Amino acid sequence: MDFIDYPDRAQWAAGAAEAIAADLEAALETQDRVTLAVPGGTTPGPVFDLLSAVPLDWARVTVLPTDERQVPEDSDRSNARLIRERLVTGPASSAGFQPLWGEDAETVREAVSALLPIDVLLLGMGADLHVASLFPGAEGLKAAFALDAPPVVEIRAAAAGEPRVSLSAEVLADARQVHLLIAGHDKRKALQGLPQGGSAGAGALKAPVALVLDRARIHWSE
C-alpha cells in the first residue's frame, strides 16, 4: 500500500490525475488497446476534469464504470452520465465507453469480458469500506466474490439506494494498476483500522477494499 497524503483537494486531484495518466501512457506504449475503469459519484469529478485534458492517445482507451445504478443514463444518478460529461470529453472524447448496465445483461457481460484485465483501475471507497458497489452485507456480495462470478454482478444493499450492478471481486483484484481515491478523516480512520497483509478470504467480505489494498496507491486529502 502506497499512501499519498496531499495538503489540499487541488493537489489531491492533480496528483491522482497525473498518476493515472502516467499509468495509461505506460500501458499504451506496450498495448494496442487499454482499459480504464473508474467510479461515479461526486468525489472523482475534479480528477476527471484534469485527466480528460491530458494529451494521451485516447482513441485507444476504453473507459468502463466500476459500478452503476440501474437507472436510465440520462438520470442525474447515473455513473455513466457523470463519466461521459466529465471524463469522456475534450481531448478524451475520442475514448471508447462501455456502459455497465443495459437491457441485455449478457451482451454487457460479454463486452466487459473482452476488455479485461483492467489496465488502470480507479476506485472510491465508502466509510463502510465498500468499493465499486460491493457493500458489506449486500445481497449478492458472496456471489460477487465467487471464483466463477461473471464480470458484472447484481447487487442490492440498503446503503446503495437503487439496485446496482458492479464489477465482480475477481475483476477488481486482477487489475494491473490500482488507485484508491479517498477524502475525509472518517475514511482514513476506517482504512487505517484494517489489518495489513493479505487481501483474500472472508475478511474481504466485511471490508471489500481489502481486495486491492496491498497493491493500491491511495490518494488522500481532508
Side-chain angles (χ1 to χ4, degrees), residues 23-208:
D23 283 346
L24 288 172
E25 187 171 19
L28 286 165
E29 289 177 356
T30 60
Q31 299 169 216
D32 291 334
R33 300 287 311 176
V34 170
T35 301
L36 168 64
V38 298
T42 56
T43 299
V47 178
F48 292 167
D49 294 340
L50 296 170
L51 183 59
S52 66
V54 177
L56 296 171
D57 189 356
W58 286 104
R60 294 196 287 131
V61 177
T62 301
V63 178
L64 174 71
T66 59
D67 60 324
E68 183 59 277
R69 298 173 177 88
Q70 294 185 24
V71 297
E73 194 170 312
D74 60 0
S75 167
D76 60 6
R77 295 278 290 166
S78 167
N79 287 346
R81 176 178 174 175
L82 171 76
I83 293 166
R84 287 187 188 274
E85 290 179 348
R86 298 189 70 171
L87 178 56
V88 187
T89 186
S93 61
S94 61
F97 182 78
Q98 173 56 54
L100 210 63
W101 184 71
E103 292 183 3
D104 188 342
E106 186 56 36
T107 297
V108 171
R109 291 188 186 113
E110 290 175 0
V112 171
S113 292
L115 297 172
L116 301 178
I118 294 167
D119 295 289
V120 184
L121 171 64
L122 175 64
L123 288 168
M125 187 196 79
D128 62 356
L129 302 172
H130 85 266
V131 289
S133 281
L134 303 183
F135 290 85
E139 180 183 340
L141 185 65
K142 288 185 179 179
F145 273 75
L147 294 179
D148 60 350
V152 182
V153 294
E154 293 192 359
I155 295 288
R156 292 176 181 268
E162 304 93 337
R164 299 194 186 192
V165 290
S166 176
L167 295 177
S168 67
E170 186 173 8
V171 169
L172 299 179
D174 284 348
R176 289 171 169 150
Q177 300 292 336
V178 182
H179 297 266
L180 184 62
L181 190 67
I182 60 173
H185 289 286
D186 58 337
K187 293 183 181 181
R188 180 170 183 166
K189 183 177 180 180
L191 193 63
Q192 291 176 331
L194 287 174
Q196 299 301 309
S199 60
L205 288 170
K206 297 179 180 179

